[in-house]
Amino acid sequence: MSDAIKHECGIALIRLRKPYQYYIDKYETPLYAVHKLSVMMEKQVNRGQDGAGVANIKIDVPPGKRYISRYRSVEPQPLTDIFSKIHKKFRKGLKNNRDHVNDAKWLQENLAFTGEVWLGHLRYGTHGSNEVENCHPMLRQSNWRSRNLVMAGNFNMTNVDELFGKLVSLGQHPKEKVDTVTVMEKIGHFLDEENQRVFERFKGIYENPTLSDVIEDNIDLPRLLYRSCRDFDGGYAMCGLTGYGASFVIRDPAGIRPAFYYADDEVVVVASEKQAIKAAFNVDYDQITEITPGSALIVDKNGEYNEFPILPRLEKRSCSFERIYFSRGTDPDIYNERKQLGKLLIPQILKEVNYDLENTIFSYIPNTAETAFLGMIEGLEEYLAKKRKQAIMEGILFEADLEKVLSFRPRIEKLVTKDVKSRTFITADALRDDMVSSVYDTTFEVVRKNVDTVVIIDDSIVRGTTLEKSILTMLDRLKPKKIVVVSSAPQIRFPDCYGIDMSRMKDFVAYRAVLKLLEERDMEYLLEDAYTQSVTALATKNPYHTNYVKALYEPFTDEEISQKIAEIVRPKGLNAELSVVFQTVENLHKACPGHLGDWYFTGNYPTQGGNKVVNKAFTNSYEGKLERAY
């Protein structure tokens, strides 16, 4: 994505199902879980580069011994920072105790990060400052082991105000009105209530300290999670560890955010992406299971696990952007889907280049678009194979013509290269344009000047600013006759509110194009209508039922909006002709049939809170406010 955006966080959970000594004996290291977690997190670093965190819980250590350990970091290389500190702690603790290196009991009583339950998190901060206090895992502490809670997640809630109000009504005094705090405190509140419920049940039967163990054995986590999460509206995959060693991962009812698990007799592991589990444990993909939407995978204190239905399931609307761009493309399903996205664009591309493949060069930007590019080339080869067959069937009289038909191949070149390991989107806005120019380079003398058309494919086009201010100018220096920019994703028209940093309407070049079209065709009354309806719905606390912004797009065809986008992103002084081609929503669903979350493109949100967010985002835009809509 040349207009890269912040998105998605990554989660990684490991539960060792056997005694700690087992792993020391079998794998000849007390760092077995540390190594596995570091691999799982490294393979998901694409999901978060603002910060990271690791938490660990020991089960059944004696009173007076620390049983929860946590490191978080916002250093430039947070994973390196965290795992270096963990290794340093081991080296320091064992420096004068080498004879205890294989003694699980001594290690657990004397060294941190020697527990059976592990939770890792990679953060992309969609909002809030990039400080270590904002990094997961979050910790809610108590002197009662069963009331401690560690949480991390990949989530955004659309109804933070309502959740905050519920906490206040319960008698709490939350320190911040953000979804991380409200989610943690709401689950923590019901964890406290569950502890109290079990305490009241057994207090006349058992005495402390036995009663504490009885409470831990009888806490009903499915009940607790239902009571905690029934009011949540958003996309989430949330992990929790209790102080006594039980753990859970709960997924939203529409399956918006991803979560997968693998289990055998040694471990239960969870990650945001299958590839992380595959890399760490070398298991087959068919052994990795998707957590059912609306369900929680719960691992109890004894290491037994099961999925429990928690919330009523909705129609599955898992995020299609995971497939287009966010997740690692080495997952075989995602790889094939991205290729299919490129292949399905062929009819539109051929039409745009007037079927003149002899004078057309195909390329891609950025590197993440390479798989869609391969699919596009595969589609071209299939088209050419049909043309060859047709030519032969019709009969070619001259050998030279036959040779030309049989030998012709699409022209493929690497025209734009990212030559610096830098991510332009983490640069301050004021410096970003200069940064983009410095991180891309172009290949000269392969385009025939004023003859060739250049077709360049991107994952998606969000703002269009990188195209306008850098890439198109660089391509124009090659002096092509025409530039065709192709997006493997449809036009992004509506904000996201489930974990991706796309919250402001005017950030979307498709929305800016519609504003231009409404102005040019004297249809600005539609803006006033949508604004009035949105403001009224928000004021009456009933903004959930209708997306009023959809009406702004309805008068125009996809092609009309694409044409206007091409005008908007066209830099001053560009000599080449320019057109922009977008994937269709229909073909997106063909390529990714199991992942129908398309609200960015269609405005069809999977939860009611999405309609509230889009109406609020639109009113903010109309009033000139730059604040977030959630």
Side-chain angles (χ1 to χ4, degrees), residues 157-163 166 231-234 497-498 533-548 550 603-616 629-630:
M157 298 298 169
T158 69
N159 61 335
V160 174
D161 290 342
E162 290 88 340
L163 294 175
K166 287 184 181 294
D231 300 318
F232 290 170
D233 188 293
C497 50
Y498 303 116
Q533 291 171 316
S534 297
V535 167
T536 301
L538 291 163
T540 58
K541 307 296 183 182
N542 190 29
Y544 301 101
H545 299 300
T546 305
N547 176 352
Y548 296 108
K550 279 186 178 182
N604 298 327
Y605 288 91
T607 75
Q608 288 188 335
N611 289 333
K612 175 187 174 182
V613 168
V614 69
N615 293 330
K616 180 63 175 175
Y630 61 94

Side-chain angles (χ1 to χ4, degrees), residues 257-285:
R257 298 274 70 85
F260 303 90
Y261 76 95
Y262 163 76
D264 59 26
D265 62 340
E266 292 186 357
V267 295
V268 179
V269 295
V270 179
S272 295
E273 297 189 29
K274 290 188 289 183
Q275 184 62 20
I277 299 173
K278 169 71 174 175
F281 294 91
N282 193 30
V283 297
D284 295 334
Y285 280 103

Side-chain angles (χ1 to χ4, degrees), residues 155-175:
F155 64 89
N156 267 14
M157 298 298 169
T158 69
N159 61 335
V160 174
D161 290 342
E162 290 88 340
L163 294 175
F164 182 86
K166 287 184 181 294
L167 289 177
V168 173
S169 70
L170 291 170
Q172 292 196 21
H173 191 94
K175 61 183 180 180

Side-chain angles (χ1 to χ4, degrees), residues 20-21 24 61-62 102-111:
Y20 187 44
Q21 188 68 54
I24 296 174
V61 294
N102 294 318
D103 183 346
K105 185 175 185 298
W106 186 91
L107 290 168
Q108 290 198 304
E109 292 184 3
N110 292 277
L111 284 184

Side-chain angles (χ1 to χ4, degrees), residues 589-608:
H589 291 167
K590 285 182 182 178
C592 311
H595 304 272
L596 302 179
D598 61 3
W599 54 92
Y600 335 90
F601 318 118
T602 65
N604 298 327
Y605 288 91
T607 75
Q608 288 188 335

Side-chain angles (χ1 to χ4, degrees), residues 168-299:
V168 173
S169 70
L170 291 170
Q172 292 196 21
H173 191 94
K175 61 183 180 180
E176 291 180 85
K177 189 188 287 189
V178 294
D179 54 7
T180 301
V181 171
T182 53
V183 165
M184 166 75 99
E185 292 303 327
K186 196 157 188 287
I187 294 176
H189 169 82
F190 286 108
L191 177 61
D192 288 343
E193 280 206 351
E194 182 66 15
N195 270 268
Q196 189 64 32
R197 182 185 72 84
V198 180
F199 171 78
E200 294 292 341
R201 177 183 171 190
F202 291 105
K203 68 178 180 179
I205 303 173
Y206 299 96
E207 299 292 331
N208 281 325
T210 304
L211 181 55
S212 295
D213 294 330
V214 172
I215 290 173
E216 294 175 358
D217 290 338
N218 286 274
I219 285 177
D220 187 341
L221 280 177
R223 178 179 184 270
L224 184 162
L225 292 173
Y226 166 72
R227 300 183 73 205
S228 305
C229 302
R230 58 189 171 184
D231 300 318
F232 290 170
D233 188 293
Y236 52 87
M238 295 185 294
C239 299
L241 314 180
T242 64
Y244 62 91
S247 56
F248 62 84
V249 181
I250 183 167
R251 194 173 178 209
D252 66 82
I256 297 168
R257 298 274 70 85
F260 303 90
Y261 76 95
Y262 163 76
D264 59 26
D265 62 340
E266 292 186 357
V267 295
V268 179
V269 295
V270 179
S272 295
E273 297 189 29
K274 290 188 289 183
Q275 184 62 20
I277 299 173
K278 169 71 174 175
F281 294 91
N282 193 30
V283 297
D284 295 334
Y285 280 103
D286 60 9
Q287 296 177 274
I288 302 171
T289 303
E290 184 177 4
I291 294 178
T292 305
S295 295
L297 176 70
I298 295 177
V299 188

Side-chain angles (χ1 to χ4, degrees), residues 302-345:
N302 301 311
E304 299 301 316
Y305 68 95
N306 207 343
E307 274 197 75
F308 295 87
I310 303 296
L311 299 170
R313 290 186 64 180
L314 302 174
E315 177 189 4
K316 189 180 178 188
R317 301 284 299 283
S318 51
C319 171
S320 57
F321 253 125
E322 289 278 349
R323 325 305 287 183
I324 296 167
Y325 173 71
F326 294 149
S327 294
R328 278 186 175 264
T330 47
D331 180 303
D333 292 335
I334 293 174
Y335 181 81
N336 289 325
E337 288 168 10
R338 290 182 183 175
K339 284 187 70 176
Q340 189 69 4
L341 285 169
K343 185 182 293 189
L344 289 171
L345 283 160

